[in-house]
Amino acid sequence: MALRVIPVDPFDLVIFGATGDLARRKILPGLYRRFLAGQMTPESRIIGAARAELTDAAFAQSVQDAIEEFVPAAQRDAASVAAFLALLAYVPIDAKGEGGWAALKGRVRSGVVRAFYFSVAPALFGDLAERLHLHGIADGQSRIVVEKPFGRDLATARALNTALARHFAEEQIYRIDHYLGKETVQNLMAVRFANILFEPLWKAEYIDHVQITVAETVDVEGRGAYYDKSGAMRDMVQNHMMQLLCLIAMEPPYHFDPDAVRDEKLKVIRALDPVKPEDIVRGQYLGANGSGSYVEHSEDPASRTESYVALKCHISNWRWKGTPFYLRTGKKLRARSSEIAITFKEPPHSIFDDDRGWRENVLVIRLQPNEGMNLMVMIKEPGPGGMRLMQVPLDMSFADAVGAEAVDIPDAYERLIMDVIRGNQTLFMRGDEVEAAWAWADPIIQGWEGRGDKPQAYDAGSSGPDDAMMLMHRDGRRWRDIR
Ligand code: BG6
């Protein structure tokens, strides 16, 4: 199955923070892959901007190094890398002063889409927005892209929204949550709304509970200073996991249209009940099997930051009243495994004498690795000897279904940057959505900070703290294995 690539209009993309980690790992290698695929055409330009005094050639060299490091050798070739590097320029810039802005103005063209990627600390968002405006570099058609963390609570998120809104309309602001760019996450919407099969059952009447797991094996990867002030709740739950929950729980939007989708997500967040303290477990990993403990990455040896969260939440609306959603995420766990599992209720009446083999139907949507879907169904155990039941998977692996071209599927950042150029905000968070998510998360965080709660220890390489197992256990349920 050949993947269809539709080229986007020519653009000028200015990346503030172009020498930073995200630009090196994701944004620039991702743009190269889109160039190679023919989606970004040679009429486009990428202008790096950062504090460092670099020449165009030195910047191009650093981008070449990044491509060599982060794009597999089989997916690049010298000629296309050289052609891509020819589209780059660099401007040293002072976000808080006047240096470099006139030069930047001289670099951007009119008559093409102009986008500005703020891959910098959120404290600089307001300064950049203001200077782009003051120097006449951005106009009413320009787009700005901002990264998480979008605030650390409701008050700071509101302040950021206000600072951006001074110079840009909501239609110009693209708040990235890279989970929305993941292929399987978008697939959630296709599965729900392009099939008649699931939607009639998609409600509390038929669904016992939902589990959302984002398990990581990595630690804080050199970002200890940021992470220690953030923790798993701010780093993963308020944004990525909340988005997954919204896509599962939202009502069908009337159209696959940015505001129609975002309106429905917002309604879910607003319908979330406050989480009770007994329904949340925080954990922090201890060193095990040769790997260090969380506090070894922290500047504070007494850090109470959580590297793991598990919680149970309820959505108070007609569709979901009574169906709990269990969320868990953590670092240094047994395996890298992210999935959504929807467990259905039992049939109203069993007609079989021997139904010992009976298990619930479960729809598992695997986000990573090995993206795909698995529907657990009951069949007759083969062979003679009476009617006994057994559970089998109807298994769909994305790579098998799509074939070798699966390697060409754009990664989350690639997809999202192309959407910015196309002017499609469907997979970006709207300001009110981010604020509503903080309004839900704030009391949870304030609760444990106020009580001075310590996270429960768990071993690196395990499935998380024991209390997280109990969270399910006391409801007569269990987490799926992390493997
Ligand atoms: C980031 C978090 O937003 O998402 C990281 O800041 C986390 O802590 C990462 O590791 C996970 O993303 P992915 O795409 O690897 O699941």
Side-chain angles (χ1 to χ4, degrees), residues 242 245 267-274 313-316 325 440:
M242 178 62 69
L245 180 139
K267 286 187 210 160
V268 173
I269 306 175
R270 290 197 171 143
L272 278 170
D273 287 347
C313 58
H314 286 280
I315 303 169
S316 276
F325 283 68
W440 171 80

Side-chain angles (χ1 to χ4, degrees), residues 256-302:
F256 191 59
D257 157 275
D259 278 328
V261 171
R262 298 184 301 175
D263 286 347
E264 296 307 335
K265 288 196 291 167
L266 180 61
K267 286 187 210 160
V268 173
I269 306 175
R270 290 197 171 143
L272 278 170
D273 287 347
V275 177
K276 300 191 196 113
E278 62 270 28
D279 287 343
I280 182 148
V281 176
R282 299 166 68 230
Q284 191 188 76
Y285 61 85
L286 294 175
N289 307 323
S291 107
S293 66
Y294 176 81
V295 287
E296 286 170 45
H297 296 120
S298 161
E299 285 159 15
D300 174 8

Side-chain angles (χ1 to χ4, degrees), residues 26 147-149 177-179 182 214-216 218-221 223 226-227 230 234-236 239-240 329 331 336 338 368 411-413:
K26 294 285 183 187
E147 269 296 330
K148 72 174 268 258
D177 183 311
H178 80 278
Y179 266 59
K182 288 185 189 267
V214 177
E216 299 188 279
V218 291
D219 59 23
V220 296
E221 298 180 294
R223 298 181 307 150
Y226 149 77
Y227 194 90
S230 165
R234 289 188 172 100
D235 187 51
M236 296 293 288
N239 37 70
H240 305 326
T329 182
K331 297 210 180 277
R336 176 171 184 254
S338 300
Q368 57 198 28
D411 107 323
Y413 275 94

